């Protein structure tokens, strides 16, 4: 893995768009299909929005596989984490007390080849999204 962008801040909703544009540029350079780029952007937007909702800020680092065959996005924040990470991937599960459908993490999971949630100590969450070149995720 080679790191392309390190610690892009996610502090405002405009940063969600900035991250999405950077992901598009990186994915286009290594010949990802538009459908796969859109899925990666959707997953990224869901995670970035959750960072703003639950932790108020965080960051993302972008990596490209040595053979340029995958993109790995690693998001981190210092929010409360997720008490039941596997449940959080199911549609309808939410810990947000305001109006929420609880489908964001499930949609993100379906949009990529791999989604890993890891609670950090003493607090925070790391979310790793992996999208491989040429592999089709299910339609969201």
């Amino acid at each position: 893995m080679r790191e392309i962008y390190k610690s892009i801040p996610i502090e405002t909703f405009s940063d969600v768009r900035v991250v999405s544009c950077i992901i598009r540029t990186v994915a286009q350079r290594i010949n990802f299909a538009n459908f796969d780029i859109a899925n990666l952007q959707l997953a990224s937007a869901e995670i970035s929005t959750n960072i703003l909702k639950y932790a108020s800020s965080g960051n993302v680092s972008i990596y490209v596989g040595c053979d340029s065959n995958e993109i790995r996005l690693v998001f981190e924040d210092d929010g409360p984490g997720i008490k039941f990470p596997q449940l959080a991937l199911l549609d309808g599960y939410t810990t947000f007390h305001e109006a929420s459908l609880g489908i964001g993490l499930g949609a993100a999971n379906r949009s990529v080849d791999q989604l890993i949630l890891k609670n950090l100590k003493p607090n925070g969450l790391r979310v790793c999204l992996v999208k491989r070149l040429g592999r089709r995720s299910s339609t969201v």
Side-chain angles (χ1 to χ4, degrees):
M1 281 287 140
R2 57 190 160 107
E3 190 171 56
I4 302 298
Y5 290 94
K6 183 176 183 174
S7 296
I8 302 165
I10 302 169
E11 298 171 343
T12 66
F13 284 101
S14 63
D15 293 332
V16 175
R17 179 72 180 135
V18 169
V19 169
S20 183
C21 289
I22 292 171
I23 289 167
R24 172 171 285 285
T25 300
V26 170
Q28 286 175 329
R29 284 185 184 156
I30 60 173
N31 298 318
F32 268 61
N34 286 335
F35 177 84
D36 295 327
I37 294 170
N39 275 332
L40 191 56
Q41 288 178 299
L42 176 109
S44 169
E46 289 294 342
I47 303 306
S48 297
T49 301
N50 280 354
I51 285 173
L52 296 173
K53 214 187 278 189
Y54 295 100
S56 75
S57 68
N59 63 69
V60 59
S61 296
I62 301 174
Y63 301 85
V64 173
C66 295
D67 296 329
S68 295
N69 62 348
E70 75 176 35
I71 295 176
R72 184 175 303 253
L73 307 175
V74 180
F75 296 83
E76 291 189 350
D77 65 46
D78 61 355
I82 298 176
K83 190 171 184 177
F84 301 108
Q86 294 310 312
L87 282 178
L89 295 174
L90 301 175
D91 287 343
Y93 181 85
T94 183
T95 58
F96 198 60
H97 300 294
E98 295 180 26
S100 174
L101 298 175
I103 59 173
L105 282 177
N109 189 37
R110 288 187 298 277
S111 298
V112 295
D113 297 312
Q114 188 175 22
L115 186 152
I116 302 165
L117 299 171
K118 179 175 175 50
N119 285 307
L120 303 174
K121 295 187 180 192
N123 57 356
L125 183 68
R126 178 180 299 133
V127 180
C128 180
L129 303 177
V130 178
K131 186 74 180 147
R132 294 181 185 91
L133 186 62
R135 289 193 57 188
R136 282 290 162 113
S137 302
S138 62
T139 306
V140 177

